[in-house]
Amino acid sequence: MGLFQRKGSENDESSEDKKEKGGWRRPANTAFKQQRLKAWQPILTPKTVLPTFFIIGIIFGPIGGLLIWGSSLVSEMTFDYTDCETLTPSSSNSSLQYVEIPSSKYSYHLSTSTSQKNAQPTPPVYAFLNNSANSGDFDVFNQQQCIIQFDVVADLSASIFLYYKLTNFFQNHRRYVKSLDSDQLRGKGGSASDLNTGDCKPLGSLNDKSIYPCGLIANSLFNDTYSNPILLNPSNFDEATNVTYSFSSENIAWPGESKKYVSTPIGNGYNSVDDIVPPPNWMKRFPNGYTRDNIPNLAADEHFQNWMRTAGLPTFTKLYGRNDQDTMQKGRYMITVGLNFPVIPYKGTKSIVISTVSWIGGKNPFLGWAYVAAAALFVLLAVAGTARHLIKPRRLGDMSLLSWNR
């Protein structure tokens, strides 16, 4: 009878069922599932650790030296023109007032293979040309110009690269990095309200129209312009008085960058140019807004594509032009810079960098010196450990020196 059944009988049955069910979930009795695989645990002894330190130091040292040597094959010239716009302005090319660039504002790092490595170049000079008050049809981006003259002390073999360099510009700020709309750039459009509530905020719309391209990155596009350098004193007198060294703006962006953009937003997310407006800082380039004949082709604008790849550090360089065929001859060059990008308000600087490359890439000796420093540290530790082991060796397994065992 159920009335006289023991209380534990039902519990006993349920516990047996649980055991059987638990057995179903038990891992198989194998070495792998029961964690009985054979393992090797090295015992760190002076005879194994010290030779390892020596070997690492011996390997790292030559690698570091090789990287430093590869970097030394690169010739690089840097000219800071930040203060050019503070000079006394000239009103025409015939009345330019050149000022010597301070020695702290330029640098020459010539290749060790260059025959003129120890040559002393004539200090570079610059002058400020203000065309704003002049009558005539001047390019809006060249109303204020900085004319820079500098020496190339030896022939530079192709490839030659022209960079611009900025300092104290934090492209790595979290809000700045994410301030773009990838769908808009790929041709999927975006309404003013959607852009205002997305990552482009607060530069998603203007006057209830979508900003194209929206966001802080596009709005702050670097817009200084550089002319091709002109050789003022060519060695071959049969040539023209001045020789232009041409830089191309093609193939300066990473492969595949153009796939992130469309050639025109019309028909790719927007029906007409009346639906979109330029970013506020682009108004100088598009004073009357976009028209069907005047709209940016972002898929072909490699300067824009390079700018949109944000830098990880506040000091960075970005490629502006390249020449892969011609040697840059020794001589005095002149380059004209259109001054449009302000850096003084945020205490930054801007510079021109002309550089060659080697098998290691651009000039960057840091990695080589890091290897050399690591090699020196490992060898120092190995020597110190060897001395300690020879002077006062410790028997393997001797725990008497440990404080907790006293």
Side-chain angles (χ1 to χ4, degrees):
M1 294 177 60
L3 182 63
F4 299 101
Q5 285 182 351
R6 298 174 62 184
K7 286 185 178 181
S9 60
E10 294 181 0
N11 294 335
D12 292 341
E13 292 178 2
S14 62
S15 62
E16 290 177 1
D17 293 340
K18 288 182 180 179
K19 287 181 180 180
E20 291 180 0
K21 292 180 181 179
W24 299 342
R25 296 192 297 270
R26 183 182 302 148
N29 188 20
T30 62
F32 177 76
K33 293 187 176 181
Q34 295 296 336
Q35 300 184 12
R36 295 196 302 267
L37 290 175
K38 293 181 179 180
W40 175 70
Q41 183 175 358
I43 299 175
L44 302 179
T45 64
K47 291 184 179 181
T48 58
V49 173
L50 297 179
T52 302
F53 278 12
F54 275 116
I55 291 173
I56 294 176
I58 293 172
I59 294 175
F60 275 26
I63 292 176
L66 189 63
L67 293 175
I68 294 172
W69 173 75
S71 179
S72 70
L73 297 177
V74 178
S75 294
E76 183 181 275
M77 300 171 288
T78 304
F79 308 100
D80 185 337
Y81 63 95
T82 305
D83 298 328
C84 185
E85 60 189 83
T86 64
L87 302 177
T88 302
S90 302
S91 57
S92 65
N93 288 320
S94 60
S95 61
L96 293 176
Q97 302 177 34
Y98 284 102
V99 176
E100 187 174 306
I101 299 178
S103 58
S104 60
K105 298 289 187 178
Y106 70 91
S107 63
Y108 283 85
H109 300 286
L110 300 180
S111 168
T112 53
S113 61
T114 301
S115 59
Q116 306 264 347
K117 175 175 172 54
N118 296 322
Q120 294 297 324
T122 303
V125 296
Y126 53 14
F128 180 40
L129 177 61
N130 192 346
N131 294 313
S132 303
N134 294 345
S135 59
D137 185 17
F138 286 96
D139 182 0
V140 67
F141 284 104
N142 291 304
Q143 290 184 351
Q144 294 185 339
Q145 297 176 331
C146 182
I147 316 298
I148 305 174
Q149 291 188 9
F150 60 92
D151 278 353
V152 175
V153 298
D155 291 349
L156 301 179
S157 301
S159 299
I160 310 294
F161 298 89
L162 174 65
Y163 301 88
Y164 60 87
K165 178 181 178 181
L166 297 179
T167 65
N168 205 34
F169 192 100
F170 289 81
Q171 271 199 318
N172 57 356
H173 192 283
R174 180 184 62 84
R175 187 176 181 186
Y176 183 92
V177 169
K178 60 185 294 188
S179 185
L180 78 164
D181 191 287
S182 299
D183 289 338
Q184 185 198 48
L185 297 174
R186 289 193 178 99
K188 297 181 181 179
S191 65
S193 58
D194 291 340
L195 296 177
N196 275 334
T197 56
D199 290 334
C200 283
K201 182 182 179 180
L203 289 176
S205 69
L206 187 65
N207 298 327
D208 296 328
K209 293 183 179 181
S210 300
I211 295 177
Y212 176 83
C214 68
L216 297 172
I217 309 177
N219 184 62
S220 61
L221 174 67
F222 183 82
N223 56 355
D224 275 9
T225 59
Y226 303 108
S227 69
N228 288 317
I230 299 174
L231 178 59
L232 301 178
N233 54 347
S235 57
N236 187 351
F237 293 100
D238 294 334
E239 298 179 0
T241 304
N242 295 336
V243 178
T244 301
Y245 187 83
S246 299
F247 283 107
S248 172
S249 59
E250 296 181 358
N251 299 321
I252 62 173
W254 284 35
E257 281 297 296
S258 60
K259 297 179 181 179
K260 299 179 181 180
Y261 309 94
V262 292
S263 57
T264 176
I266 308 306
N268 293 298
Y270 297 102
N271 296 324
S272 70
V273 293
D274 296 330
D275 298 333
I276 54 177
V277 293
N281 286 352
W282 291 27
M283 292 303 179
K284 191 175 183 179
R285 180 180 174 187
F286 302 98
N288 300 319
Y290 293 140
T291 64
R292 183 166 290 276
D293 297 328
N294 189 18
I295 194 167
N297 182 355
L298 301 184
D301 189 350
E302 297 191 36
H303 291 142
F304 175 81
Q305 295 167 20
N306 279 346
W307 183 257
M308 293 298 288
R309 287 189 68 90
T310 53
L313 297 174
T315 297
F316 58 88
T317 60
K318 290 183 182 288
L319 187 58
Y320 189 87
R322 63 186 298 167
N323 187 317
D324 298 308
Q325 288 82 32
D326 305 322
T327 297
M328 196 171 194
Q329 299 177 13
K330 170 185 175 181
R332 187 77 168 177
Y333 283 84
M334 180 180 73
I335 188 170
T336 302
V337 182
L339 300 174
N340 303 287
F341 192 83
V343 295
I344 295 178
Y346 66 86
K347 298 180 181 179
T349 65
K350 52 185 177 180
S351 308
I352 295 174
V353 180
I354 298 176
S355 175
T356 61
V357 293
S358 68
W359 57 268
I360 196 178
K363 195 170 194 68
N364 183 15
F366 172 79
L367 184 60
W369 286 113
Y371 268 95
V372 171
L377 177 62
F378 276 111
V379 171
L380 180 63
L381 292 175
V383 171
T386 302
R388 169 67 173 78
H389 181 62
L390 294 177
I391 295 173
K392 191 177 180 181
R394 197 185 83 179
R395 184 167 53 86
L396 184 62
D398 185 3
M399 309 294 287
S400 61
L401 298 179
L402 298 180
S403 60
W404 57 268
N405 197 41
R406 293 176 180 176

